[in-house]
Amino acid sequence: MSTTKKRIIIVTGIPGVGKTTVLNKAADIARQDYTVEIVNYGSVMFETAVSSGFVENRDQMRLLPPEKQRKIQKTAAETITKKAEQGKLLIVDTHMLIKTPEGYLAGLPEWVVTTLEPDVIVLVEAEPESIFSRRSKDESRLRDKDSALEISTHQNLCRAAAITCSTLTGATVKIVTNKEGMVDKTAEELAVVLKGVN
Ligand code: ATP
Ligand code: MG
């Protein structure tokens, strides 16, 4: 499909599930045929938060007061929507629910998801035990030390939030399972979803 219509796919999944890893590979597959751009919502928020003097590193973001996080979120939604209006398929790498000390904060509240107007919302999921072990091994990030049960609850709540986003925007919700050691297979599955929207 060749059109100037805004096309956005939102790829979500709880921290450490492997979104960024899988998404980079899926985008490499897609780029053999057409242009895609990946935008990391957290990075756009981080740039805004640093320039406002709120944080110095990325993992401090989820510890900010929810009110500040919401303000930064809104600015990021507007920045990202402008990018999508440039015509290429935009993939937004983000979180459905952020664990803050005050409780879960919606990554895609109504005023973000209706600004972005995604075509598809992808939930990348994995076995809670796998996520637990990926978080423990990944030394590049300061990650939450949730139990497998807490990870499972977080994933279940993300499903509910995804369906709420679908209800608000008409986007479809696609669940992709990122099995242990199967990044390439998961990326291929995700590439099919991207192709369907392009
Ligand atoms: P965040 O939301 O915090 O950015 P993420 O979902 O983007 O996290 P990644 O940073 O992509 O997660 O991956 C977390 C870790 O899990 C990395 O060390 C990555 O190599 C590993 N990983 C990703 N997918 C798999 C897989 N299928 N099997 C084993 N390890 C994996
Ligand atoms: Mg990531």
Side-chain angles (χ1 to χ4, degrees), residues 20 38-45 58 80 91-95:
T20 304
I38 301 177
V39 182
N40 186 297
Y41 205 99
S43 300
V44 178
M45 283 183 63
R58 230 191 126 105
I80 291 168
I91 308 168
V92 183
D93 176 347
T94 191
H95 297 117

Side-chain angles (χ1 to χ4, degrees), residues 45-142:
M45 283 183 63
F46 182 52
E47 284 159 22
T48 311
V50 170
S51 61
S52 310
F54 292 158
V55 295
E56 287 168 0
N57 78 59
R58 230 191 126 105
D59 291 303
Q60 290 172 337
M61 297 266 296
R62 65 182 181 278
L63 304 176
L64 281 173
E67 193 47 47
K68 274 201 175 128
Q69 294 196 46
R70 281 191 284 267
K71 204 170 157 221
I72 302 166
Q73 257 179 328
K74 189 163 174 50
T75 311
E78 287 156 4
T79 306
I80 291 168
T81 303
K82 277 197 196 110
K83 269 186 197 289
E85 282 160 359
Q86 291 160 9
K88 60 195 148 191
L89 176 62
L90 197 72
I91 308 168
V92 183
D93 176 347
T94 191
H95 297 117
M96 189 58 78
L97 294 172
I98 299 99
K99 268 189 114 175
T100 80
E102 287 85 2
Y104 289 107
L105 177 82
L108 298 169
E110 182 271 337
W111 38 270
V112 167
V113 81
T114 59
T115 301
L116 294 174
E117 292 182 297
D119 296 276
V120 183
I121 296 171
V122 177
L123 283 171
V124 180
E125 296 186 346
E127 289 296 331
E129 290 75 13
S130 298
I131 298 174
F132 182 88
S133 103
R134 287 172 204 171
R135 285 182 181 178
S136 317
K137 285 185 208 150
D138 184 4
E139 288 170 355
S140 66
R141 304 283 299 273
L142 180 64

